[in-house]
Amino acid sequence: MFEIVKRDGMARMGKFEVHGKIVETPALLPVVNPKINTIPPRELYEKFGFKALITNSYIIRNTPELRDKALEVGLHEMLDYPGVIMTDSGTFQSHMYGEVDLKNEEIVQFQHDIGTDIGTVLDIFTEPFWTKEQTAESIEVTLGRTKVACDMKGDMLINGVVQGSIYQDLREDCARKMASMDIDVHPIGGVVPLMEQYRYSELVDVVMSSKRGINHSRPVHLFGAGHPMILALATLMGCDLFDSAGYAKFARDERMMFIDGTFRLSDMQSLDCDCPACRGHTLQELRRMEKKAKTRLIAEHNLYQITHELALVRRYLQEGRLWELAELRCRAHPALLDALRRLKEHQAQMELSDPISRDGAIFYTGPESRGRPTYLRYLQRIRDRYVPPTDKAVIFPECQGKPYSRPYAEDFDKARRAGFTPIVVSPFGPVPAELDEMYPLAQSLFPSIPDMETDTESERLTFQFLSAAGFKGAITPEQIPEDGTMEYDADLLRAKAVARYQFGIPAADALFRGEIQLVRSKKTGKIRNVISDGEHVLSMRAGDGLYTLRMEGAKRIVEAVPAPHMRVVVMDDAVPFVSDGRNVFAQFVLSCDQNLRPMEEVIVTDGKDNPVATGRMFLTPFEIPFMKKGMAVKVRSGSDD
């Protein structure tokens, strides 16, 4: 059972329950070779905090003394490990050494018999150099074996490995067929050669295409991905589990992992590491160590690098800043920067999971930041939902003061009195003055010295917007006439523009009908509440400049705008609880608007389209049908409040 408890776009912090044990994701499973045990499993659990590991059932089965002991006392006692144990099946050995002398049914049954928590099908490792036809044929074999394993698994959880080489359509189709089977984890397999060859841009395509087809109630395991430098990017793409054999393999080769790469001990100039393993040692001391002790120390160092980076990934995920960390990490190697740039090609897919707003500012780290889904959403919404108050514009250059209406207060007033709409050319593209206080525009930080690529793209997007929005002309601030007499209400323009951006034009029209009263903060003068015909319909949040929807406003939208717009429909049994202000859980949702995004304001209705509560979306519409546990909507107020 998998429950999402925190998210940052496609990245998910979750609780994965396995036989009464909880694995908190994102999590890494160190790979334990049962014949070597570089770091004993008990130490992995108690000293390093790994609550799950992966070992190889093929090696255990083919080693008589290990096989007999595992069958006699069980895998957990044999390894002396109290956490969750996943076992591989021999698929990777087939990739490394050719075909293995083993049948799928035999290895699945063996994994069950030794007490494996999560077993793995003997899938076919699809190599990157395979033809599409060869890959497609092997996928059919893997799917058939997976179905057999599902029928055999009993109380053992099973991995359904998504294969497909580098072919995105095959990856998606394989994942979609796996989604309908009784599997428990979605590993993405066949990717080790891509990582070994630094083909990270292709890895992005593989992960993103696989994610399009999976069952979202299951953790996604990126097989073989355990290097610190890849964890932030992989988590950003929605991978929940990882594994690493490299910590031990690299140690035996005297190679040390860091967030910016792997370095041979013989090539290093200094040991600038303060992890518990390295602390107190010099580079010369480490080189002079006896081989076994040296291997052990380097393996511990590698594990500390992994755990430190994974803790950092979790923190950034909790704070809603994982994009920043991933962008920083992807600058450690040109191949990773390729991956970050390739991710922009999947911007629309990522936008489906990207929250409407976050707590904290967006930090610009370079031109690649424009590939974030929040940029795409902003441009789409001002194209589709912005209504210009006039048909003439004044184009202002971007300035460091935000919101722009502060440093440009006199100029904006002058432009509006002359019948012009102020538009700022920002790194996001065009910013109409009415929208400059809302997320993500006011909640973003850019360098004061811009790069040419962003400047050029911002200007292009602005003039494209002017044409599409129907402006008949545009001038510079120096050209604004001095004798303008047009009257306007800047706060009302802002209030309506934000409502259109957030809820759509028809919904905004329903909210702003009749006599409008804007309640302003006594301290800041900013809009706090919108009163329409005496009804409190909206409250504007100070943090992100967007609205909280009141029940009175929800009722207006339901009356004026046909379903499913902004709706989450719940079962009749859940209505009394939701009306009383309880959160909506995924298993009680009948349907919802497919255009909703995480953190978006929603209207919870019963089956007859009667509004029963308002709240904010937590899951995505495409996740809800799969989830068996967890909150779908955080309810703010019910109709009984």
Side-chain angles (χ1 to χ4, degrees), residues 76 321 325 604:
H76 289 81
R321 301 193 299 132
L325 181 63
V604 183

PDB file of all heavy atoms in Angstrom, residues 76 321 325 604:
ATOM      1  N   HIS A  76      15.476 -13.094   5.881  1.00  0.00           N
ATOM      2  CA  HIS A  76      15.755 -12.058   6.879  1.00  0.00           C
ATOM      3  C   HIS A  76      16.754 -12.544   7.930  1.00  0.00           C
ATOM      4  O   HIS A  76      17.690 -11.825   8.297  1.00  0.00           O
ATOM      5  CB  HIS A  76      14.457 -11.597   7.547  1.00  0.00           C
ATOM      6  CG  HIS A  76      13.572 -10.789   6.651  1.00  0.00           C
ATOM      7  ND1 HIS A  76      12.735 -11.366   5.717  1.00  0.00           N
ATOM      8  CD2 HIS A  76      13.406  -9.445   6.526  1.00  0.00           C
ATOM      9  CE1 HIS A  76      12.086 -10.409   5.068  1.00  0.00           C
ATOM     10  NE2 HIS A  76      12.470  -9.240   5.534  1.00  0.00           N
ATOM     11  N   ARG A 321      11.158  23.048  -3.492  1.00  0.00           N
ATOM     12  CA  ARG A 321      12.271  23.660  -4.227  1.00  0.00           C
ATOM     13  C   ARG A 321      13.118  22.625  -4.954  1.00  0.00           C
ATOM     14  O   ARG A 321      14.289  22.866  -5.245  1.00  0.00           O
ATOM     15  CB  ARG A 321      13.154  24.459  -3.268  1.00  0.00           C
ATOM     16  CG  ARG A 321      12.435  25.576  -2.535  1.00  0.00           C
ATOM     17  CD  ARG A 321      13.414  26.515  -1.853  1.00  0.00           C
ATOM     18  NE  ARG A 321      14.228  25.827  -0.858  1.00  0.00           N
ATOM     19  CZ  ARG A 321      15.549  25.937  -0.770  1.00  0.00           C
ATOM     20  NH1 ARG A 321      16.224  26.653  -1.655  1.00  0.00           N
ATOM     21  NH2 ARG A 321      16.215  25.307   0.179  1.00  0.00           N
ATOM     22  N   LEU A 325      17.278  22.381  -6.825  1.00  0.00           N
ATOM     23  CA  LEU A 325      18.338  21.416  -6.530  1.00  0.00           C
ATOM     24  C   LEU A 325      18.693  20.598  -7.762  1.00  0.00           C
ATOM     25  O   LEU A 325      19.881  20.382  -8.053  1.00  0.00           O
ATOM     26  CB  LEU A 325      17.899  20.490  -5.390  1.00  0.00           C
ATOM     27  CG  LEU A 325      18.938  19.447  -4.959  1.00  0.00           C
ATOM     28  CD1 LEU A 325      20.184  20.127  -4.409  1.00  0.00           C
ATOM     29  CD2 LEU A 325      18.348  18.491  -3.926  1.00  0.00           C
ATOM     30  N   VAL A 604     -16.066  20.681  -4.052  1.00  0.00           N
ATOM     31  CA  VAL A 604     -16.468  19.302  -3.824  1.00  0.00           C
ATOM     32  C   VAL A 604     -17.991  19.236  -3.923  1.00  0.00           C
ATOM     33  O   VAL A 604     -18.698  19.994  -3.259  1.00  0.00           O
ATOM     34  CB  VAL A 604     -16.003  18.798  -2.447  1.00  0.00           C
ATOM     35  CG1 VAL A 604     -16.372  17.319  -2.266  1.00  0.00           C
ATOM     36  CG2 VAL A 604     -14.498  18.988  -2.288  1.00  0.00           C
TER      37      VAL A 604
END
